[in-house]
Amino acid sequence: MGAFRKHLHNQLFVGALPDGRLTLTNKLLILVILLAVATAALATEPGIAANWHEAFLVMELAFGVIFLLEYLARVFAAAEEPGESSAWAKRWRFIRSPIGLIDLAVVVSTLMPLIAADAAMLRTIRLVRVLAVMKFGRFNRALKEVWGAVTDRADDLIVTVALAGMLVLFGATALYMTEGELQPEEFGSIPRALWWSVITLTTVGYGDAAPITALGKFFASLQALAGIALVAMPTGIIAAAFSEAMQRRRDQQIREMRDHLERLDEVDEAVEAKIAALERTRNQGP
């Protein structure tokens, strides 16, 4: 039983193996999660749900059984976690841990639609399970580098957000002053004009509101051009931060490799000295 529990722990818990790679079991579980999310999304389409209602129920039941068995297996295998605590203390610690609560939420979100009529939003919690897997193991360093790249340029990004807020308010004020009387529903107040300003600045441009006066079109043109420049700013900032983070990682790898080579040279010199000493002892004879 102990060997089986240890094998189960190595298969289910990311990072249990020395190399930190995802096991085949975890890869299959990620595939099941993605299939479950896709099924939940398709079930919200009336045309598809009407023809495949029973099939969706069967699939949801199958997903629920899989996730429930996975959760119970994790609770059982949690006794193999490192530490001096008892097996049940380790299991209780896993149940209360973030990853344990996510697993429980996935089980509840899968079984809830079988009780409630519409719980599509709950079923999207399964995606959090994929992110939880990526949070550990080999992905942990990559996530830290991405987060570090963003935090390193936090001041630049804050300035960009502040500039965007100023441009949004300027555009809304300009269109309120030039178009407010002509189009009161769209530009009758600055809060009403904010919708148009945000959509224009982000270069989405739904077309549900547009200026009709020459001066309004002039301000709208400035807003659109400013939006193109503004969208490029955070993209360039984050791209530069990522490039610097990757360069730091390459430099660190180079340093680690050089340190390793230096240690190998020291070992080689020590081995050669030991061999020379043994040869001298052999030549001296008894």
Side-chain angles (χ1 to χ4, degrees), residues 33-270:
I33 292 170
L34 295 178
L35 290 176
V37 172
T39 301
L42 291 175
T44 60
E45 174 58 41
I48 298 177
N51 298 325
W52 296 85
H53 179 68
E54 294 183 359
F56 283 140
L57 288 179
V58 173
M59 286 187 288
E60 286 295 336
L61 179 60
F63 291 140
V65 171
I66 293 173
F67 293 139
L68 179 59
L69 292 177
E70 179 209 359
Y71 178 72
L72 295 177
R74 286 181 183 274
V75 172
F76 171 72
E80 295 296 328
E81 285 288 284
E84 300 297 330
S85 305
S86 64
W88 285 107
K90 293 178 181 178
R91 292 185 178 116
W92 177 238
R93 188 185 308 123
F94 166 76
I95 293 173
R96 294 179 298 160
S97 67
I99 188 66
L101 294 176
I102 290 174
D103 283 347
L104 182 60
V106 169
V107 174
V108 173
S109 66
T110 303
L111 298 178
M112 185 62 68
L114 302 178
I115 303 173
D118 186 9
M121 286 297 297
L122 286 175
R123 288 178 285 191
T124 58
I125 297 177
R126 298 162 179 161
L127 284 176
V128 181
R129 184 67 182 83
V130 178
L131 297 177
V133 171
M134 294 179 63
K135 174 68 176 65
F136 303 97
R138 294 187 304 159
F139 303 100
N140 194 30
R141 177 181 293 181
L143 288 173
K144 287 182 178 179
E145 290 177 354
V146 171
W147 178 248
V150 174
T151 54
D152 287 344
R153 297 301 180 92
D155 293 339
D156 298 336
L157 294 174
I158 290 173
V159 171
T160 303
V161 172
L163 181 60
M166 293 172 57
L167 290 174
V168 167
L169 186 58
F170 169 79
T173 303
L175 267 294
Y176 162 70
M177 296 176 62
T178 57
E179 302 280 336
E181 295 182 359
L182 300 176
Q183 301 186 71
E185 290 296 326
E186 290 81 9
F187 305 106
S189 66
I190 292 179
R192 292 185 184 182
L194 281 174
W195 166 252
W196 170 89
S197 185
V198 171
I199 294 302
T200 303
L201 190 68
T202 55
T203 70
V204 176
Y206 286 137
D208 55 343
I212 57 177
T213 64
L215 188 58
K217 291 179 180 179
F218 172 75
F219 286 124
S221 299
L222 293 179
Q223 186 83 344
L225 292 174
I228 295 174
L230 189 67
V231 169
M233 287 178 61
T235 303
I237 292 171
I238 295 176
F242 285 165
S243 178
E244 293 177 1
M246 294 301 102
Q247 185 62 46
R248 287 197 298 268
R249 182 178 181 183
R250 286 191 292 267
D251 294 341
Q252 181 181 359
Q253 290 176 342
I254 292 173
R255 288 194 300 268
E256 291 176 353
M257 293 177 66
R258 287 176 176 173
D259 293 341
H260 181 67
L261 290 175
E262 291 178 359
R263 288 193 297 270
L264 288 178
D265 291 339
E266 294 175 358
V267 171
D268 290 341
E269 292 176 358

Side-chain angles (χ1 to χ4, degrees), residues 11-31:
Q11 287 294 314
L12 291 176
F13 285 81
V14 180
L17 297 179
D19 57 6
R21 294 176 178 271
L22 292 178
T23 62
L24 178 60
T25 303
N26 272 299
K27 291 178 180 178
L28 292 176
L29 285 172
I30 290 176
L31 179 61

